[in-house]
Amino acid sequence: MDYEQAFLFIIEVIGTVAFAISGIRMAAAKQFDWFGAYTVGLVTAIGGGTLRDILLDIPVFWMQTWWYLAVTGLSLIVVIVFRRILVHTRVLFIFDTIGLALFVVIGIQKTIDADYPLWVAIIMGIITGAIGGVIRDILINSEPLLFKKDLYATACLAGGLVYGMLIAFGAPVTVQGIACAATVIAMRVLALRYGWSLPVLGDTYCLDTPDRQNHKDCDKK
């Protein structure tokens, strides 16, 4: 294994742990039992990559090795032991953001390695990073962050564009990955700090929805 492969392997392990912990902790907040929480954590960690590999028509990554299942199990133990620390919203935000950023890098690089063009790689990076969180939120009956005004997929897109720019300049894979991940993390942190968000379609919703009078936001317009 050369240093670039080692770098990608390390960030994949870290990303898997981060996403698994975010999924398990959110499931715990909904009073899931240990098996249910493990399932949510596993789906959060592998959901986006599974869809990516199916779309790219390559072997599904977690079927090639058992360690994704084991890492999720270790993440469950971490949540059980340190549940009082992990209960804080900011801690969950950190794990979710780290997992998102690192999985964008993995999605882009694996797509490029499969000989697809850069624009496809950026889309697959977004899918790898965001879809696991969407499945997680659906399983715990929460509105997916991807569909809110929070900078989620937008941050992934920005990271992907930075990755592509560095490819054009011939930067090493490690530099590409670090810069991409840093961009995603920076955008999410700054969005939280300064309240950045995309515009919502609130007016259109209120005009087109039959039960306009029953929607609390419509009364303010």
Side-chain angles (χ1 to χ4, degrees), residues 16-100:
T16 299
V17 170
F19 254 168
I21 289 177
S22 75
I24 291 168
R25 191 62 193 87
M26 292 180 72
K30 294 285 187 175
Q31 303 298 309
F32 282 39
D33 63 19
W34 288 12
F35 180 77
Y38 174 86
T39 301
V40 173
L42 181 63
V43 169
T44 305
I46 71 172
T50 299
L51 179 58
R52 174 202 65 220
D53 292 348
I54 291 173
L55 291 174
L56 295 178
D57 194 26
I58 61 177
V60 177
F61 69 103
W62 60 268
M63 294 182 178
Q64 311 303 308
T65 177
W66 54 268
W67 75 261
Y68 294 95
L69 304 179
V71 166
T72 304
L74 292 175
S75 300
L76 175 62
I77 295 173
V78 169
V79 172
I80 293 172
V81 174
F82 299 103
R83 59 186 178 277
R84 293 186 178 180
I85 299 175
L86 297 174
V87 72
H88 299 291
T89 302
R90 288 189 180 274
V91 175
L92 290 175
F93 174 83
I94 291 171
F95 279 106
D96 187 63
T97 299
I98 291 174
L100 181 71

Side-chain angles (χ1 to χ4, degrees), residues 90-151:
R90 288 189 180 274
V91 175
L92 290 175
F93 174 83
I94 291 171
F95 279 106
D96 187 63
T97 299
I98 291 174
L100 181 71
L102 298 183
F103 273 24
V104 171
V105 175
I106 293 298
I108 292 174
Q109 189 57 49
K110 286 193 174 183
T111 306
I112 292 174
D113 290 342
D115 295 326
Y116 283 87
L118 179 61
W119 66 270
V120 176
I122 293 175
I123 293 174
M124 291 302 161
I126 296 173
I127 288 174
T128 306
I131 294 301
V134 172
I135 300 173
R136 173 200 65 205
D137 294 340
I138 291 173
L139 289 176
I140 65 174
N141 198 28
S142 295
E143 183 181 358
L145 288 174
L146 181 65
F147 304 138
K148 295 182 179 180
K149 60 181 182 180
D150 183 25
L151 295 185

Side-chain angles (χ1 to χ4, degrees), residues 101 104-105 108 155-156 159-160 162-163 166 175-185:
V104 171
V105 175
I108 292 174
C156 297
V162 169
Y163 204 113
L166 290 175
V175 174
Q176 297 166 15
I178 292 172
C180 174
T183 300
V184 176
I185 293 172

